[in-house]
Amino acid sequence: MTKPVTEALAREHGLSVDEFARVKTILGREPTYTELGIFSVMWSEHCSYKSSRIHLRGLPTSGPRVIQGPGENAGVVDIGDGQAVVFKMESHNHPSFIEPYQGAATGVGGILRDVFTMGARPIACLNSLRFGRPDHPKTRHLIEGVVAGIAGYGNAFGVPTVGGEVFFDESYDGNNLVNAMAVGLARTDKIFKGFASGIGNPVLYFGAKTGRDGIHGATMASAEFDDQSESKRPTVQVGDPFTEKLLLEACLELMESDCLVGIQDMGAAGLTSSSVEMAARAGNGIELDLDKVPRRETHMTAYELMLSESQERMLAVVKRGRESEALRIFEKWDLDAAVVGRVTDTGKIRVLSEGKTVAEIPVDPLAEGLRYERPFARPANLDELQRLDVEALKAPELGKTLLALLASPNIASKEWVYRQYDHMVRLGTVVRPGGDAAVIRILDGAKDPEKAKGIALTTDCNARFCSLDPYEGARLAVAESYRNLCTVGADPLAVTDCLNFGNPERPDVMWQLVEAIRGIGDACRALETPVVSGNVSLYNETDGKGIKPTPTIGMVGLLPVAAAAVGSHFVSEHATDTIALLGVNTDEIGGSEYLKLVHGRTAGKPPRLDLARELAVGRACIALGRAGLLCSAHDCAEGGLAVAIAESCISGGQPIGAAVTLAESLRADLLLFGEAPSRIVISFEAKHEADVRALAAQHGAPFTVLGTTGGRNLKIQVPKGPLLDVPVADLAAAWKGGFRSLVT
C-alpha cells in the first residue's frame, strides 16, 4: 500500500505546511510515502520535544554521582561499591485513556525496557496516576483498567510495584494521566548505550515479531483528543510480559559477552526511532533491509514495518563476525531474531524493501527534530484564581472535616490499588506501598542482608498548586519528593520527571510549561538533586479543555542500611512516645484539599516554600533516623497537619491514639488543614527528647513538641481549649473506606 504524497496527506500525518516544505528541502525532492511516515513520527512532539527542548536545557543534569544524564534511554547514578541505579519515568496517557488495560500495561513494559537496555536488572516500579472526578461516568472504568494493566504486566514480568500516587480532579475527566517509573540495578562498568558504532557492523533485530499494532502511536500521543478518540484503539500497542522477561534475560546475557556495541529499545516510533537515534548518537548511518524483519502479519508494507510500535522488540549493533554468537543467545531465550542491516558511513538512514530503496533520509535532521520557541504568556485569569478571601470562608466543624478529608479519594488509603501489585517479588522490599517512600534492599554483593544498603523511591506532584502558580507548584513537587525520601532516612540523589501539560500552541499552556521547568530547575539546584532523565507529554486536552499542569517528580535516594528505614506510623511498643514537629505551621490554604473538598474552590496562592528550611528539616530528619532516635516520621502534605497526625495514628498494623497541643494562635481550620511544606511529624521515646532537640538544632531545623501517643482517640487542642476529639477507629474507617467505595 502506498499513497501519493500531498500537502493534505502531510497534514493528516501531523505535519504543518511549513514542516512539509522543510521535508522537501532536506530531501531535495518529494518524499516517498514511507519517508513521510518517518518524518511525521520523528518530528512529532512525542519524539522530538520540539516545544520543550530549548527550555529543558535549563535543568541541572550533572553531579558527583551522575554517570549518565538525559539523552539516553535512562539516567544512571552511582551508589557506591561499583553499583549504579538506572531509572526513568515516562507517560502513557493517551493510550491509557483509549484502552486503559493495554495502555497502562505497555507503559510499564516500555519503561522497563528503557532501564534494562542500559544493562540494569529492574528492581522496582512506581506509578503516578490521575483520573477525573470520582463520579464521572468513565472514571471507574479507567481506574479498574489502568490498575489491572499495571498489575498484569509488572506481576507477570516479576518486578515489584512498590509506590506511587493516585489523584482525582475534574481537569482529567477527558484525559487521564498514567506515568510509569522503573528503577534497575547495574554495575558501573557495564552501562550500555544506544550507539550504532563501527562501519560495517551488523544491526540485529530481536524480540517479538512485528505486527500492525501501535502504528502512529507517537503521532497520536502528540495530538489533542476529540469525540473521535475512541476510534484510535488500533494505535494502542498490545504487550506480552512473558516475552519481555525473556527479552530481559537475553539482553543481560548478551551484555556479559564482549560482542555488543550498542543497544536500543524499540519504543515510540518503533524501528524508525531506534535506528535513527542509534545512528545519530554515533554520527553514522544505518541501512535496513525490511525483508529480514520478523513479522506476525502478512503483506506488511515498508511504511507499516517502520512505524509499528509492537512491543518487546530491541535493536542491537554487534561486532562484525560475532552475529552468530548473538543469534545463539536469542535462540536460547526463544526470541525471534535476524540481521536486518548494517552500520554505514553515509550519515543517512536507508531503507530497502523488496530490493528497492523506499526511504533514504539524512539522520541528523530526523534526530534533531524541530525546535520551536513558542510564544508564552501568563494566563489572563490567574490573578482572579489567586484571590482568596479567607475571612469569607465559614469555619466548619473540625472533627467532621478531618473525617471527610481522610475519606477523600485523594487522601484515603490506596490499598485497593497496591494490593493488586506484587510488591514483594524478589524479596527486597523493606518499606511497602502506603508510606512516604518505598525502600528496596540491595542484596547484590551484600554479605549480611540485615546490613545491606537500600534505595528509597517516590513520585509526587500537586497539580492544584501548579495550576495556581506553576513555578511554585513545581518547586513544591520537588520539595515534597525530597521530604518523602528524608522521612525514611534516605539521602536524596537525583530526579526523573514527567511533564504533563495541555496544548503548547496555546500561550497560556506554554507559559505553564516554561514556569514549571524553571521551578524544577531552581528546586533541584538548591536540593542538590540533578535531573538525569525524563519525559514530556503535551496535548493532554480533549475538545480544547486541558488538564491542570502536572509536572510529576520521581526521586531516588540512598540508605546506608535498608533495615534502618523509618516508618510513617506511630508504634505501640511503648506506653507513650513523644510527638514533635520539624518545621513551622502557617495559615496558608491556597490550593489545599480542604479548600476544594469543604468550600468547593481551587483558589489562592500555593504555600510559600523556603528551600533553606526544606534542606534543614530534611537533613535533620535523616540525621535523627541514622542516629536511631526516631520511632516514626511522616511528612505533612495533602490535608495538612491534622491529616498527617491522623495517618500516623492509623496507617500501622495497630491504630494508636494521640494527644496534641498546638501553640500557634492561628485560625483553627487553617492551622489544622493548611498544606504548608517543609514539615515532618516525628515520634520518639520521651527519654531521647534532649538528643532529638539538639540534633534538630544542629541542622537548623525548627523543632516543636506537640504531644504524646497513646489512647483510643486523636485529641487536638490549643491553649484556649479543645479543637477536636475523634476515636481512632472512626478515623481508620473513613481512611480505609474512602477509596474503596469508588470501585466496589
Side-chain angles (χ1 to χ4, degrees):
M1 181 185 70
T2 180
K3 296 180 181 180
V5 176
T6 64
E7 194 174 277
L9 184 63
R11 286 198 300 271
E12 289 179 18
H13 280 68
L15 295 174
S16 69
V17 172
D18 289 343
E19 290 169 350
F20 183 53
R22 189 180 300 190
V23 168
K24 292 188 287 186
T25 299
I26 290 169
L27 295 175
R29 56 176 169 78
E30 296 284 335
T32 67
Y33 184 51
T34 300
E35 288 171 335
L36 177 66
I38 290 172
F39 271 105
S40 73
V41 292
M42 292 305 297
W43 283 6
S44 69
E45 190 74 62
H46 189 75
C47 290
S48 74
Y49 289 21
K50 56 190 176 185
S51 298
S52 59
R53 190 178 296 191
I54 63 170
H55 302 288
L56 294 171
R57 289 182 306 208
L59 295 175
T61 59
S62 61
R65 288 186 178 269
V66 176
I67 296 173
Q68 176 64 55
E72 266 293 340
N73 290 293
V76 186
V77 176
D78 194 328
I79 59 168
D81 305 312
Q83 295 174 319
V85 285
V86 180
F87 59 101
K88 189 180 182 183
M89 180 161 50
E90 279 203 345
S91 62
H92 235 224
N93 303 334
H94 286 60
S96 300
F97 185 79
I98 295 169
E99 173 43 62
Y101 183 94
Q102 289 296 347
T106 52
V108 173
I111 200 64
L112 286 169
R113 288 194 301 280
D114 281 341
V115 164
F116 69 72
T117 298
M118 301 291 292
R121 180 175 291 278
I123 59 172
C125 279
L126 298 87
N127 52 73
S128 176
L129 311 178
R130 298 289 191 280
F131 300 100
R133 291 165 294 167
D135 59 353
H136 188 276
K138 287 202 71 168
T139 295
R140 179 170 176 172
H141 163 71
L142 291 170
I143 294 173
E144 291 176 342
V146 165
V147 172
I150 292 169
Y153 205 101
N155 294 357
F157 178 82
V159 62
T161 300
V162 297
E165 55 175 349
V166 185
F167 195 85
F168 299 85
D169 185 87
E170 63 270 15
S171 73
Y172 307 108
D173 281 350
N175 201 128
N176 60 203
L177 302 184
V178 176
N179 295 173
M181 178 176 169
V183 182
L185 183 68
R187 300 207 313 261
T188 55
D189 61 347
K190 284 285 187 178
I191 304 298
F192 292 86
K193 300 179 181 181
F195 280 85
S197 302
I199 306 306
N201 277 338
V203 178
L204 276 65
Y205 168 119
F206 65 102
K209 290 182 170 69
T210 296
R212 290 188 171 94
D213 52 323
I215 293 175
H216 269 300
T219 308
M220 178 268 290
S222 305
E224 298 178 28
F225 280 154
D226 53 31
D227 56 6
Q228 301 301 312
S229 295
E230 296 293 333
S231 67
K232 295 180 180 177
R233 276 199 171 87
T235 62
V236 178
Q237 311 94 321
V238 177
D240 178 359
F242 300 104
T243 298
E244 180 111 336
K245 175 63 173 173
L246 299 176
L247 196 62
L248 163 67
E249 301 301 339
C251 283
L252 295 181
E253 183 170 338
L254 179 65
M255 290 164 178
E256 285 300 314
S257 73
D258 66 345
C259 71
L260 183 63
V261 175
I263 187 168
Q264 179 83 14
D265 163 42
M266 289 193 216
L271 188 55
T272 290
S273 63
S274 56
S275 56
V276 167
E277 290 171 6
M278 291 183 77
R281 290 188 189 115
N284 289 324
I286 280 184
E287 182 176 280
L288 295 174
D289 184 352
L290 298 185
D291 295 343
K292 306 290 181 60
V293 173
R295 61 195 78 183
R296 66 170 183 263
E297 299 185 43
T298 59
H299 308 299
M300 290 189 71
T301 66
Y303 177 98
E304 292 171 327
L305 289 164
M306 289 301 291
L307 269 62
S308 169
E309 294 183 10
S310 293
Q311 296 289 284
E312 294 88 39
R313 301 180 302 156
M314 308 282 270
L315 204 64
V317 174
V318 301
K319 295 176 182 176
R320 185 163 43 182
R322 307 284 294 275
E323 302 94 320
S324 58
E325 184 179 337
L327 290 170
R328 280 196 298 271
I329 293 173
F330 304 142
E331 182 181 9
K332 169 187 173 181
W333 291 102
D334 200 24
L335 297 170
D336 286 286
V339 177
V340 297
R342 63 187 179 90
V343 179
T344 68
D345 62 359
T346 64
K348 295 181 178 181
I349 179 160
R350 183 168 181 247
V351 182
L352 305 175
S353 179
E354 298 179 356
K356 299 177 182 178
T357 300
V358 294
E360 190 165 11
I361 307 171
V363 164
D364 286 345
L366 287 174
E368 280 295 311
L370 305 173
R371 299 188 183 189
Y372 290 148
E373 294 190 35
R374 297 196 186 277
F376 54 90
R378 189 175 187 271
N381 68 337
L382 194 59
D383 287 336
E384 181 60 33
L385 278 175
Q386 291 182 346
R387 287 195 189 95
L388 178 61
D389 182 1
V390 174
E391 297 302 319
L393 300 176
K394 183 179 179 182
E397 201 281 311
L398 299 175
K400 290 181 179 178
T401 300
L402 177 57
L403 289 170
L405 283 167
L406 289 169
S408 164
N410 288 333
I411 292 176
S413 169
K414 308 304 187 298
E415 185 179 17
W416 181 90
V417 174
Y418 61 74
R419 288 271 302 195
Q420 298 184 53
Y421 305 149
D422 187 343
H423 48 265
M424 290 303 295
V425 64
R426 293 180 53 84
L427 301 177
T429 308
V430 176
V431 177
R432 305 180 186 185
D436 288 352
V439 176
I440 299 291
R441 181 184 284 112
I442 303 300
L443 294 171
D444 299 56
K447 295 180 181 179
D448 181 354
E450 289 304 310
K451 296 181 180 178
K453 62 188 173 187
I455 297 297
L457 316 164
T458 189
T459 62
D460 231 300
C461 181
N462 188 316
R464 288 200 190 116
F465 291 164
C466 295
S467 69
L468 296 170
D469 186 331
Y471 172 78
E472 288 298 339
R475 291 205 315 152
L476 287 161
V478 174
E480 185 172 351
S481 297
Y482 178 90
R483 202 178 320 126
N484 285 340
L485 299 183
C486 295
T487 60
V488 298
D491 288 307
L493 298 181
V495 161
T496 182
D497 58 30
C498 197
L499 308 181
N500 307 273
F501 290 80
N503 185 345
E505 297 169 50
R506 288 172 38 194
D508 58 331
V509 172
M510 194 63 214
W511 179 82
Q512 293 174 335
L513 176 61
V514 171
E515 286 294 285
I517 293 172
R518 188 168 69 91
I520 291 170
D522 286 352
C524 286
R525 272 183 286 271
L527 300 175
E528 299 178 344
T529 52
V531 180
V532 298
S533 61
N535 173 241
V536 180
S537 175
L538 305 180
Y539 294 95
N540 289 290
E541 296 200 1
T542 298
D543 295 328
K545 182 176 175 56
I547 63 165
K548 282 184 169 64
T550 312
T552 309
I553 302 297
M555 196 177 287
V556 172
L558 179 65
L559 291 91
V561 180
V566 179
S568 61
H569 55 84
F570 297 146
V571 297
S572 55
E573 280 81 1
H574 321 119
T576 60
D577 283 329
T578 299
I579 304 169
L581 179 71
L582 297 174
V584 177
N585 292 321
T586 72
D587 58 357
E588 299 164 288
I589 61 163
S592 64
E593 182 72 11
Y594 162 69
L595 187 64
K596 177 66 174 177
L597 183 71
V598 176
H599 300 286
R601 298 185 62 190
T602 298
K605 293 183 178 181
R608 294 180 296 275
L609 173 64
D610 181 334
L611 284 166
R613 183 185 296 162
E614 188 70 57
L615 270 171
V617 166
R619 288 173 176 170
C621 193
I622 294 170
L624 290 166
R626 300 276 174 86
L629 295 172
L630 296 183
C631 297
S632 70
H634 184 33
D635 86 309
C636 294
E638 286 83 0
L641 179 64
V643 165
I645 296 171
E647 287 174 335
S648 294
C649 288
I650 61 179
S651 59
Q654 180 66 44
I656 182 171
V660 169
T661 299
L662 303 176
E664 292 86 353
S665 57
L666 303 174
R667 179 170 150 172
D669 55 337
L670 312 188
L671 173 61
L672 293 181
F673 308 125
E675 296 177 6
S678 313
R679 295 183 296 166
I680 300 175
V681 174
I682 61 174
S683 68
F684 50 87
E685 292 184 70
K687 64 184 180 182
H688 295 315
E689 181 178 333
D691 292 333
V692 172
R693 187 182 294 274
L695 202 47
Q698 179 182 325
H699 288 275
F703 173 87
T704 306
V705 171
L706 301 180
T708 57
T709 65
R712 297 183 177 181
N713 286 27
L714 170 58
K715 302 176 182 180
I716 301 179
Q717 65 180 20
V718 292
K720 292 182 179 180
L723 298 180
L724 59 82
D725 185 346
V726 185
V728 290
D730 293 350
L731 299 175
W735 183 69
K736 292 180 178 180
F739 188 93
R740 193 167 52 222
S741 63
L742 294 177
V743 289
T744 56

